[in-house]
Amino acid sequence: MKAISLKEAQRIDSRAIYELGVPRIALMENAGRGVAEILLKKLKRPGSVVVVSGAGYNGGDGLVAARHLYINGVRVKLFLVDSISRIKDETLVQLRVLEGLGLKVRGIERVSDIKRLSSEITKSDILIDALIGIGVEGEIREPQKSVIELINRSKIEVLSVDIPSGLDADSGTAGTIAVKADWTVTFKEIKRGMVSLDGKHHCGKVYTRGIGI
């Protein structure tokens, strides 16, 4: 099993986008579709999924997964944990597509906004964690911190996109807090932090998916 560092993962993406000319949104599409395909095999029926997305590229992957689940008959509830003003361009494209399909995206900008998410978790089968990707830096701020705490104390099964939110991709340390996932779908190769220290206990069963590079 090969495990790569954060810098190696970022270098692969950078070369694909800036040297080979692969659009970032194409990589996002491949990643999100891969997550959805794995999750669809786990759902014994169409079921219901709650997606917790950040404003970055990891969040975009989660939104793509939400779209593919929705068009396959899954009940999807979406939450954007950040301000719409901070959202990355490609992630915003995915958000607008979902809105065009008629899916409402609820925003969580403050800790007080979490009540609706808590309610949806109790009514859903699986939660997709697309909150923070491999580039996590420093302390987890609010409301992301409270969202992760809510996820961890709930009984819902969790699938993390690329890496559990809050887990350091290199060291495998969870810092102040990190999502404890039942499954993690990671891209290209497993990250070093997923097989060391806290990573062993936070990632659950790990799947790797290619994204066309």
Side-chain angles (χ1 to χ4, degrees):
M1 178 179 62
K2 180 181 180 182
I4 61 176
S5 68
L6 171 61
K7 286 186 177 180
E8 287 173 316
Q10 292 174 331
R11 191 160 54 240
I12 291 169
D13 282 346
S14 180
R15 181 162 186 260
I17 295 165
Y18 300 110
E19 294 182 34
L20 302 181
V22 181
R24 188 186 297 275
I25 202 163
L27 302 179
M28 187 178 285
E29 180 70 25
N30 292 341
R33 186 175 63 246
V35 170
E37 288 172 351
I38 287 174
L39 196 49
L40 284 168
K41 293 177 181 177
K42 295 188 175 300
L43 291 168
K44 298 182 176 64
R45 51 187 173 79
S48 58
V49 172
V50 58
V51 179
V52 178
S53 167
Y57 300 127
N58 185 257
D61 296 342
L63 295 179
V64 172
R67 169 161 46 84
H68 284 278
L69 291 169
Y70 177 73
I71 62 178
N72 278 278
V74 177
R75 174 183 171 270
V76 176
K77 294 294 182 179
L78 300 169
F79 291 86
L80 176 68
V81 188
D82 213 325
S83 167
I84 191 72
S85 64
R86 292 167 52 87
I87 198 166
K88 297 287 188 181
D89 290 344
E90 292 85 352
T91 303
L92 181 60
V93 169
Q94 304 299 347
L95 183 63
R96 296 306 184 214
V97 171
L98 288 167
E99 290 174 340
L101 287 171
L103 282 171
K104 182 178 179 180
V105 182
R106 296 172 175 84
I108 296 178
E109 296 187 41
R110 298 171 294 277
V111 174
S112 58
D113 297 331
I114 293 176
K115 291 182 181 179
R116 184 61 184 268
L117 172 60
S118 179
S119 175
E120 288 298 339
I121 285 176
T122 63
K123 297 182 285 187
S124 300
D125 299 311
I126 293 174
L127 181 142
I128 293 179
D129 157 39
L131 190 58
I132 307 169
I134 60 175
V136 62
E137 295 179 354
E139 297 290 319
I140 305 298
R141 58 187 175 84
E142 294 289 6
Q144 286 82 358
K145 182 175 182 290
S146 291
V147 169
I148 293 174
E149 290 172 344
L150 171 62
I151 293 170
N152 285 347
R153 67 173 178 264
S154 71
K155 296 180 180 179
I156 195 170
E157 293 184 296
V158 177
L159 185 150
S160 286
V161 175
D162 207 11
I163 195 166
S165 292
L167 184 69
D168 188 291
D170 278 330
S171 69
T173 56
T176 53
I177 193 166
V179 167
K180 293 180 180 178
D182 296 281
W183 314 287
T184 300
V185 180
T186 196
F187 311 120
K188 300 177 286 290
E189 302 286 352
I190 288 175
K191 314 308 181 290
R192 289 177 182 171
M194 300 173 72
V195 292
S196 58
L197 300 179
D198 300 321
K200 298 176 182 178
H201 309 293
H202 280 257
C203 292
K205 183 174 177 59
V206 177
Y207 298 85
T208 58
R209 292 296 299 247
I211 55 173
I213 55 175

